[in-house]
Amino acid sequence: MFQRLSAIVFIYVCCCAAWMVLGGTVAHRTDTSATTLGGVVGETWGGPQVQRAPTVERLDGDATPASPADRPAGTEARPPRTAVPLAASRLQARLDLEYRRKGLLWHPTYRVDFGGRYRVANESATAGRFAFSLPLPEHAAVFSNVALSVDGRDVPVVAEGGRVATEIALRPGASAVVGVRYASQGVGSWRYALGEAAAPGGVRTARDVSLVVTTDAAGVDIPEGTLSPTSLRPTRSGGRELAWRYGTLVAAADLGVAMPERLNPGPFVSRVTFFAPVSLFLFFFAVFVLSVLRGVRLHPMHYVFLGAASFAFHLLLAYLVDVVAVPAAMALASAASLGLVVSYVRLVAGPRFALVEVGGAQAVYLVGFAATFFLDGTTGLAVTLLSVATLFVVMQATGRMDWEALLSADDPDAHPVESR
């Protein structure tokens, strides 16, 4: 018996080594897809977009221009610039999700239609000119339908250095509303920053801010480091409407939305493959106990073929996901592996033992184990419950077995012994 168990353990270790090689291959293919093909997506769709708030500067503030004697040689006099806070911001963004697959990865790309109305106010006692400048997202690949208006009147779009800018003349106490619109596209998440990047631990202040983001996807999330919306409700089309409405807001965080991720074939297959030794251990353990209980003699070579049939499941899964969806690949790989095991054990121990005991064990510990990885966040709990349930069943089934007599028998698999 000891030699037989040692042989089964050796076969198990060899199978584990094969799975580690396969898992490493899938991980390498996934990394290659992310590095090379991900760049293709970035060139076409850009990256995660961050739309920063515009800056407003007064061009002829209260500061006195430097005298010629105070200016560096060769420079011309420039009107002083004084930063002015926005009086109000009314913002809207429409995000339309579109998944694009490159290699073993799905990328949550989206189209965004952004519109903002910013109120610029002259709160001083003198008239002046104000420079409005909105930075466009840095990682965007393309912008279309860019429009700029002042108090509802379209003005020429001046986009230099990745910024949309215009100048406004305001009387004392007067204000104007600057409107900006554009369409673009990005990947993953969309954010609105209240200003330039804040220093670590620093904050930014914004007055009278309202942002409404509408998506056509229901499973949106809030990116890490952003503020939760003040309201969230479903739309008639099945999407979500998220709103952030504040008076005066003092915060270091941005406002934003993360688009829902689709199940990625590469990472999914990698996780299933690297955890395959756990499922194989449970499968071999169940087959060994069942063969003892049913009086079926299984030679270590039988375990070699059972391990190979189990490995075939993950091998097929690893390459089927290149051409079909993950659920379909799971179904095809499961059918092939179960067919191999049942048809083989049928020749060894008959159809009933092959179909019920061994086939059932493989369906639970191979197919069912892999299916738990669809349960994002609860895979560990599902595997733990499966292991505990297996232990309970085996303990109840073998509680009356005389293991000392069994282990000392010459042919224990063929003659199970029970204590009286």
Side-chain angles (χ1 to χ4, degrees):
M1 171 63 84
F2 178 76
Q3 292 180 346
R4 181 172 304 218
L5 289 176
S6 299
I8 295 175
V9 170
F10 176 74
I11 293 167
Y12 170 77
V13 171
C14 292
C15 291
C16 291
W19 265 305
M20 293 303 101
V21 173
L22 179 60
T25 301
V26 176
H28 175 72
R29 292 170 58 209
T30 303
D31 293 340
T32 302
S33 297
T35 303
T36 59
L37 299 179
V40 176
V41 175
E43 293 175 359
T44 305
W45 287 82
Q49 283 198 9
V50 179
Q51 174 60 66
R52 298 194 175 279
T55 58
V56 179
E57 294 178 315
R58 181 170 178 142
L59 301 180
D60 50 354
D62 297 332
T64 303
S67 64
D70 297 331
R71 295 197 303 269
T75 61
E76 298 180 358
R78 296 181 60 189
R81 290 174 174 258
T82 305
V84 176
L86 290 166
S89 302
R90 297 290 181 269
L91 316 167
Q92 289 186 332
R94 168 74 189 184
L95 304 178
D96 294 321
L97 177 65
E98 183 178 354
Y99 291 106
R100 292 185 175 268
R101 178 170 174 171
K102 294 295 182 181
L104 293 177
L105 295 175
W106 284 100
H107 300 270
T109 65
Y110 59 83
R111 299 182 185 275
V112 54
D113 290 309
F114 175 78
R117 293 183 294 114
Y118 301 93
R119 189 161 66 86
V120 180
N122 182 1
E123 300 177 353
S124 70
T126 59
R129 294 190 63 80
F130 295 80
F132 174 93
S133 177
L134 177 78
L136 297 173
E138 297 177 357
H139 298 294
V142 64
F143 296 92
S144 60
N145 302 324
V146 182
L148 185 64
S149 64
V150 177
D151 286 335
R153 298 187 303 274
D154 291 338
V155 299
V157 176
V158 178
E160 295 180 356
R163 307 176 78 93
V164 176
T166 189
E167 292 186 8
I168 314 163
L170 294 175
R171 299 187 304 273
S175 65
V177 176
V178 180
V180 180
R181 299 191 312 274
Y182 66 78
S184 185
Q185 52 198 25
V187 180
S189 63
W190 184 89
R191 294 180 181 231
Y192 185 84
L194 300 174
E196 299 298 328
V203 297
R204 296 165 295 203
T205 303
R207 296 190 297 180
D208 195 8
V209 177
S210 174
L211 168 64
V212 177
V213 177
T214 306
T215 74
D216 63 349
V220 295
D221 199 359
I222 308 303
E224 183 177 354
T226 62
L227 298 177
S228 298
T230 55
S231 67
L232 170 63
R233 65 182 184 87
T235 63
R236 292 183 178 179
S237 61
R240 292 292 183 269
E241 180 185 277
L242 303 91
W244 293 260
R245 295 185 175 92
Y246 300 97
T248 298
L249 177 62
V250 180
D254 300 334
L255 318 177
V257 175
M259 305 306 286
E261 296 280 350
R262 190 169 179 175
L263 180 64
N264 279 307
F268 175 83
V269 175
S270 294
R271 292 195 302 271
V272 172
T273 304
F274 281 127
F275 275 89
V278 179
S279 68
L280 183 66
F281 172 80
L282 294 172
F283 178 55
F284 273 11
F285 180 65
V287 170
F288 176 79
V289 172
L290 289 170
S291 65
V292 170
L293 291 174
R294 296 291 181 263
V296 176
R297 179 177 182 176
L298 291 181
H299 190 271
M301 279 303 300
H302 295 142
Y303 286 91
V304 171
F305 290 108
L306 291 177
S310 299
F311 180 77
F313 167 81
H314 296 87
L315 185 64
L316 282 170
L317 182 64
Y319 291 97
L320 280 172
V321 293
D322 287 336
V323 293
V324 298
V326 173
M330 279 276 294
L332 293 172
S334 300
S337 184
L338 283 168
L340 287 172
V341 167
V342 172
S343 63
Y344 174 67
V345 178
R346 174 184 61 85
L347 302 175
V348 177
R352 185 188 182 284
F353 184 76
L355 184 61
V356 178
E357 277 84 355
V358 179
Q362 192 191 33
V364 172
Y365 297 115
L366 185 71
V367 181
F369 186 92
T372 62
F373 286 86
F374 287 111
L375 307 174
D376 190 21
T378 60
T379 299
L381 176 60
V383 172
T384 300
L385 294 176
L386 180 62
S387 301
V388 172
T390 300
L391 181 61
F392 173 78
V393 172
V394 171
M395 290 174 66
Q396 296 301 310
T398 61
R400 295 181 179 276
M401 184 174 292
D402 187 346
W403 288 101
E404 183 176 357
L406 175 67
L407 295 177
S408 62
D410 294 334
D411 192 8
D413 287 340
H415 306 286
V417 180
E418 290 187 359
S419 61
R420 297 181 180 178

